[in-house]
Amino acid sequence: MDQRYLEYILVLAETGNMTRAAQKLYISQPTLSQFLSKQEEKIGTALFQRSEGVYKLTSVGELYAEYARKILELTDELERDIKRISATIRINIGNSASRSLEMLTSILTDFRKQYPKAELMMTDCNVHTMSIAIAKEEVEIAFVTAPCLNQYKGKYIELKKEEILFAVSSSHPYCRILEQDSSYCLTSKELLEHFGDSPFILQPQGSCIRNLLNSFFETHKFNPTVLFSTTYARSILDMVGSNLGSGFIPSGYATESPAITYFSLAPKMYRVHYILYREEPWLEAPCRLLIKLAQQYVEHNW
């Protein structure tokens, strides 16, 4: 049956009046009346009770209307899915952390099941640059890390708060303190007193963790000796494990190793993973799917 005929019944049920229903459907009243008569004859029972020009659904009519709504909803859903699968969509994604990139790599398989023709464009940069790109509508969605987003006025979702740990070679004598108290936290004074003379392997300037560390060093008027700078946490751990220096590592990368000891800091230091996004009608569904998949991934893997 043509879906417009289903709409005839639903509009007549909604208005309860043949004239108003015909006007709303942009057809003549005789056309609507003839359709209803033929439909009731085909079904073998009345769909409406007539009383002084008022049309009210019978029990069979209620059932007919219920299925008509379902059919129309399914038809709309089918059309949306056909457009979704056949349309080529381009999404510009920003990223400021290697851990977010690992997450994106994992969720893209599920994303492409829903949007097989989607083209994703990746840009790597810091949170400040990403926030500007979002505001200028150059990027639709960005995965960033920052201590906080108090100054950011756009739309965002907090994904995960992640502690920053101090990683040192287990050969350092001060590591023995954890053998006595595994929950021991290293104060700023103790860190600089016992480890300040050794070189540091740090994240590059402009990164979230380096910004945190710069503030820490400036507060304590300390000028660290930087042996090496890298965005790769695993490279930092390799160097720490080889006793080349000390470093600061997100807890998610703090893999167990007899060569490395991790200290929590007092006060604790954190970075926060965020999703920045802007809403566009034609991009809303795919962007929301990316957000949903990212949240599910973080919940189960971080």
Side-chain angles (χ1 to χ4, degrees):
M1 178 187 293
D2 192 321
Q3 72 178 51
R4 62 180 173 170
Y5 295 148
L6 301 176
E7 293 173 356
Y8 288 0
I9 299 298
L10 293 177
V11 172
L12 182 54
E14 176 189 338
T15 61
N17 179 272
M18 184 68 71
T19 301
R20 289 199 298 273
Q23 291 173 345
K24 194 168 183 178
L25 292 165
Y26 298 100
I27 61 175
S28 67
Q29 181 177 331
T31 298
L32 180 57
S33 179
Q34 290 173 12
F35 161 76
L36 178 59
S37 297
K38 291 180 179 178
Q39 194 64 19
E40 289 180 328
E41 181 181 350
K42 181 179 179 181
I43 293 173
T45 186
L47 294 174
F48 290 89
Q49 292 176 342
R50 287 83 161 169
S51 177
E52 299 180 355
V54 177
Y55 285 72
K56 184 178 180 181
L57 288 170
T58 63
S59 57
V60 173
E62 293 281 3
L63 182 64
Y64 186 102
E66 178 184 348
Y67 276 87
R69 293 187 190 96
K70 290 180 180 178
I71 292 170
L72 292 175
E73 288 173 1
L74 285 171
T75 301
D76 289 342
E77 185 177 345
L78 174 62
E79 291 176 354
R80 287 195 300 270
D81 282 345
I82 289 173
K83 289 179 181 179
R84 170 176 56 78
I85 292 174
S86 60
T88 299
I89 300 168
R90 175 175 290 182
I91 304 177
N92 295 295
I93 300 176
N95 179 64
S96 72
S98 57
R99 198 169 189 204
S100 299
L101 184 58
E102 293 170 7
M103 174 193 66
L104 283 168
T105 302
S106 296
I107 67 176
L108 281 181
T109 299
D110 288 333
F111 177 79
R112 290 191 66 81
K113 289 178 183 177
Q114 295 291 320
Y115 296 97
K117 290 195 173 183
E119 180 182 356
L120 306 182
M121 309 290 290
M122 179 71 72
T123 301
D124 293 319
C125 211
N126 59 40
V127 62
H128 177 68
T129 304
M130 284 297 102
S131 62
I132 294 174
I134 290 281
K136 290 183 176 180
E137 299 187 352
E138 297 171 350
V139 169
E140 281 73 50
I141 185 169
F143 297 87
V144 303
T145 56
C148 66
L149 288 180
N150 291 341
Q151 305 302 315
Y152 182 66
K153 304 301 182 183
K155 298 177 180 293
Y156 69 89
I157 294 171
E158 181 177 321
L159 271 180
K160 182 80 172 182
K161 189 175 184 180
E162 186 176 23
E163 184 180 0
I164 306 301
L165 303 176
F166 184 55
V168 300
S169 170
S170 297
S171 63
H172 195 287
Y174 199 74
C175 295
R176 295 171 188 165
I177 196 169
L178 288 179
E179 297 175 4
Q180 304 168 22
D181 182 4
S182 60
S183 62
Y184 179 81
C185 292
L186 189 67
T187 66
S188 303
K189 180 180 178 181
E190 290 166 334
L191 188 154
L192 298 179
E193 179 182 347
H194 296 284
F195 300 96
D197 291 336
S198 65
F200 288 84
I201 302 101
L202 301 179
Q203 287 74 9
Q205 296 287 359
S207 65
C208 172
I209 295 178
R210 186 62 177 269
N211 289 339
L212 284 169
L213 295 176
N214 287 344
S215 296
F216 171 79
F217 294 141
E218 288 172 10
T219 299
H220 295 87
K221 297 180 173 55
F222 176 72
N223 186 24
T225 299
V226 180
L227 173 70
F228 196 78
S229 294
T230 177
T231 57
Y232 298 103
R234 291 184 177 88
S235 296
I236 294 176
L237 290 176
D238 287 342
M239 294 183 186
V240 171
S242 298
N243 200 18
L244 294 175
S246 305
F248 296 82
I249 295 294
S251 58
Y253 285 104
T255 54
E256 291 188 15
S257 168
I260 302 172
T261 295
Y262 301 99
F263 286 93
S264 284
L265 302 174
K268 291 183 182 296
M269 188 182 295
Y270 293 95
R271 72 172 180 176
V272 185
H273 295 268
Y274 295 99
I275 301 176
L276 313 183
Y277 66 97
R278 66 182 180 91
E279 288 188 299
E280 287 281 350
W282 67 280
L283 273 176
E284 181 176 356
C287 280
R288 289 192 181 280
L289 178 60
L290 274 175
I291 290 171
K292 178 183 176 182
L293 292 174
Q295 289 173 317
Q296 290 174 344
Y297 179 89
V298 169
E299 181 181 353
H300 293 100
N301 296 281
W302 285 8

